[in-house]
């Protein structure tokens, strides 16, 4: 009976170690999944960085632009708008203001 009880206790301990390892693995998997970034989220972050750079360079602030960049999708529209804002800021710095037909998309 002593050997059987020892074997049962060893099996219980092994099962507990396995359950702890599984729990630790599942927690790590959940954290990894939370950190996984979709291509859309990566593009969104790139556009926000581009806006930060352009706005700092030309001293711009726009709640509307911030709101637009927080929206899901429309990446090509956002990218084109940022390109136009950057070009307009550059033209303003160069003194080329209000050239007709320059910024239509």
């Amino acid at each position: 009976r002593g050997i059987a009880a020892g074997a049962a206790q060893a099996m219980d301990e092994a099962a507990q170690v396995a359950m702890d390892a599984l729990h630790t693995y599942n927690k790590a998997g959940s954290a990894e999944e939370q950190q996984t970034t979709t291509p859309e989220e990566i593009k969104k972050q790139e556009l926000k960085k581009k806006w930060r750079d352009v706005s700092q360079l030309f001293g711009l602030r726009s709640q509307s632009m911030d709101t637009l960049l927080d929206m899901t999708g429309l990446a090509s529209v956002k990218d084109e708008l940022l390109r136009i804002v950057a070009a307009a800021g550059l033209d303003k710095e160069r003194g080329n203001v209000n050239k007709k037909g320059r910024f239509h998309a």
Side-chain angles (χ1 to χ4, degrees):
R1 190 162 190 181
I3 294 175
Q9 183 178 357
M11 286 179 60
D12 286 343
E13 288 173 5
Q16 185 60 47
V17 168
M19 292 298 288
D20 289 345
L22 183 59
H23 180 70
T24 301
Y25 174 79
N26 284 338
K27 279 177 64 178
S30 296
E32 266 184 37
E33 288 172 10
Q34 290 173 357
Q35 292 176 1
T36 301
T37 308
T38 64
E40 186 174 293
E41 189 62 32
I42 291 169
K43 182 65 174 176
K44 190 175 184 180
Q45 294 305 319
E46 288 172 358
L47 290 168
K48 283 184 175 186
K49 183 187 179 318
K50 190 174 183 180
W51 168 239
R52 259 192 327 271
D53 294 345
V54 168
S55 63
Q56 287 175 355
L57 182 63
F58 299 115
L60 304 172
R61 275 189 268 162
S62 172
Q63 183 62 41
S64 297
M65 181 65 86
D66 293 336
T67 301
L68 176 68
L69 292 175
D70 283 335
M71 291 180 179
T72 302
L74 302 172
S76 61
V77 172
K78 294 172 190 177
D79 200 30
E80 182 66 16
L81 184 57
L82 286 170
R83 188 193 65 73
I84 291 170
V85 168
L90 189 58
D91 271 2
K92 185 176 179 182
E93 278 195 354
R94 291 178 178 166
N96 299 333
V97 181
N98 295 327
K99 291 208 173 185
K100 286 189 174 189
R102 175 88 166 96
F103 297 112
H104 46 321

